[in-house]
Amino acid sequence: MELLELRGISKEYRSGRGTVKALSDINLSVKRGEFVSIMGPSGSGKSTLLNVIGCLDRPSTGEYFLDGMKVDRVSDDKLSEIRNRYIGFVFQNFHLLQGLDALGNVELPLIYRGIGSAERKRRAKEALEAVGLSDRIHHRPSELSGGEQQRVAIARALVQEPLLVLADEPTGSLDSRTGRAIMELFQKLNTERGITVVMVTHDRDMARYGRRIVRLLDGRIKEEEFIG
Amino acid sequence: MRFFFAAQMAWQGVVINPLRSGLTVLGVAIGVASVVSLMGIGEGARLAVVRQFESLGSNVIVIKAHDAKAEFMPEEAEELLERVSGLKYASPVVRTNAVMRWRRARGQVEIIGVSSDFPELRDHRLVSGRFFTKWHVEQRSPVAVLGYNIGAGLLGGRSPVGQTLTLNGQTYRIVGVLEKKGPGQAESIDDKVVIPYTTALKIAGKKTVDELWVKAESAKAADLAIAHLGRIYRRKLGFDVTAPKPGGGEQQQMPGKEGAEKPVETLPAPQPEDHRKEEKPALELGKDIITITNLNTLVEEADKANRVMTLLLGGIAAVSLLVGGLGIMNIMLVAVTERTGEIGVRRALGAKRFDLLLQFLMEAFYLSGMGAATGTALGIWGVNLFNRYGFNAVISAEAVRVAVFVALGCGLLFGVYPAWTAASVPPVEALRR
Ligand SMILES: Nc1ncnc2c1ncn2[C@@H]1O[C@H](COP(=O)(O)OP(=O)(O)O)[C@@H](O)[C@H]1O
Ligand SMILES: [Mg+2]
């Protein structure tokens, strides 16, 4: 069962000096429960690909099916709903809201799903527990270490009970030991909860936590490698 | 549900940067406060003037001769009551001075000689005794009604009714004391002595009076009476009353000699109804022999002038309110730029454009709402402060309503653009920052 299916996806950016082709003719399928790493040099289109997969951006051409739905041409509001229901995001620089404590940050996706306060808090606490932060619930991002902040971000993705977690260089701002701990967490989510993970990284060691490595170059898929 | 969350998140946006929110709120508050207090001053001034004019009595028409040759016989007042319909009370008026003696004290006082209609005519009441009667007037009786200050001064607060005093050496019996009108009110009647006009003419050594007062039954009757009186005195001065002239104008002037040579030209041509009110009282023309003035009109004009002044003050203050509103817009635009990352995160997590629009709009609304509330409090405090320094400012509910409404309106109006900007940032763009 394919969770993601990209057919002939390309993405162009128009700027003053002309058009930049960030992605060209991408064909990619990801099955439910897979853990895929995307690698490639800087500017090769990794983030652009992840944004298209995450319904944050629309492809210029091509078709994109997410869990059987054709989502490359749906409305803005519908995309918001899809992100909220299906997709959890983890970013390199965490992207937590500074004004909210850990619990508040983890609650956010559920707010936009319209879930009541008590239920939200219960689920947010559960998610924080799952990433080992039960004792940091009321800390603000500025009071947490980088690793802890990334765990909060992962809890925020978890709380959505997503089909898919997308991570753009999740260990890029962390030292290698903390990075490995985060990767183990991803692996655990993948194996224990069956959550599909698509992760961008340019660190070979981190990429090897995945079962498949997709290499990009100049907006094209150069090669795919399966890890046994 | 959605609104509730947006409201909650908007509140977080306000409290996360207390200094900046505080300054924005202050900007709006200053605007609201200046509208409330400046309009308060204007409104207070208007009410003071209106009160002063109202103390002159309602529906009173003053007929004044500005030339000795045009002066009136005192009996004319009574005659006018019969000739002009709608008039209820009339009195000739004699103004003079006399040396008053009370026991061992003596001093100059202003005397006003009137008929027994005086209390009804100028809306006066008595605190003690009663007013002199028609009979007193006919008999030229030496009776006096004292203004409140004079009456209260004589026996240290006890009623002097029944006592006597002398005016220019002649003994007068005090029959009454008028109610207090207040400083400067009702031509400062509190400091005057009122006696029958017949007696006053004797003191002044005159036979004619230069002023007549009549009172009409109603404001409408006063308007009609003015027109009628105009015709009467025009004819008396020898003008052709059939010549076109500004009909029931509020005030009519009879031109003197110079004007009399070409009477029709000096009288303004007939004008449409609404233009008539624009006529300036021609007292300053100097040529006028007789002026007929409806005091109601003076009240209206003073009221109008003061209303304009209130609006002007309000307008000036509104500018600062506008500046406060722009402050909100400014701060919200900064917030949108600064919080693009936040916008991106929220969008990534499933916020729709409408959610962000709502959140930022509510944030602007909070700022303007708090500004309006503090501003109103500040304005009320300001009005009290002004009053401590001798202003007669009032807290006008209308000013508060307008200011609060405008502040909230500004908040929403100036919040819409930044909110819309926030909602329109594409999620990818927003996340890149
Ligand atoms: N919004 C944009 N406007 C113009 N060019 C862009 C934009 N986003 C990305 N690009 C370009 O697309 C290419 C791929 O970018 P990106 O996907 O961010 O690469 P990576 O994440 O692999 O470093 C780059 O050449 C980049 O300059
Ligand atoms: Mg990138």
Side-chain angles (χ1 to χ4, degrees), chain B residues 58-70:
Chain B
S58 54
N59 309 328
V60 173
I61 296 167
V62 173
I63 306 159
K64 219 168 189 153
H66 300 280
D67 188 318
K69 279 168 284 184

Side-chain angles (χ1 to χ4, degrees), chain B residues 127-305:
Chain B
V127 281
S128 100
R130 45 183 68 181
F131 205 74
F132 51 75
T133 61
K134 211 166 176 142
W135 188 80
H136 284 126
V137 175
E138 280 164 17
Q139 298 296 310
R140 300 189 202 180
S141 301
V143 288
V145 173
L146 307 181
Y148 182 84
N149 289 346
I150 293 188
L154 295 184
L155 286 176
R158 269 192 299 129
S159 168
V161 170
Q163 308 283 326
T164 59
L165 50 73
T166 71
L167 294 173
N168 284 357
Q170 209 204 329
T171 304
Y172 283 72
R173 191 158 51 83
I174 301 168
V175 295
V177 177
L178 294 175
E179 210 171 72
K180 189 183 179 82
K181 282 279 180 172
Q185 308 286 303
E187 303 180 12
S188 299
I189 194 72
D190 290 351
D191 298 313
K192 291 181 181 172
V193 173
V194 187
I195 62 176
Y197 70 86
T198 45
T199 324
L201 282 172
K202 226 164 37 177
I203 293 180
K206 289 179 68 177
K207 292 252 183 299
T208 55
V209 300
D210 62 359
E211 196 171 338
L212 299 175
W213 291 343
V214 290
K215 186 190 185 83
E217 280 160 1
S218 65
K220 200 156 160 47
D223 287 341
L224 293 172
I226 280 269
H228 195 173
L229 289 168
R231 283 198 296 279
I232 291 174
Y233 283 101
R234 228 174 276 270
R235 184 177 291 129
K236 193 178 155 196
L237 292 175
F239 293 119
D240 178 8
V241 288
T242 59
K245 60 177 183 53
E250 314 302 357
Q251 176 157 25
Q252 305 207 340
Q253 300 87 40
M254 309 325 138
K257 274 253 154 51
E258 299 88 331
E261 284 158 21
K262 37 174 187 162
V264 179
E265 285 85 348
T266 53
L267 292 166
Q271 288 166 338
E273 271 295 307
D274 47 333
H275 280 197
R276 262 190 272 133
K277 288 224 161 73
E278 311 278 326
E279 264 177 70
K280 294 287 286 179
L283 285 167
E284 65 264 29
L285 289 181
K287 289 185 206 165
D288 303 312
I289 299 177
I290 293 176
T291 54
I292 304 170
T293 310
N294 183 346
L295 293 189
N296 286 355
T297 321
L298 293 187
V299 177
E300 279 160 25
E301 265 164 24
D303 193 39
K304 211 190 298 170

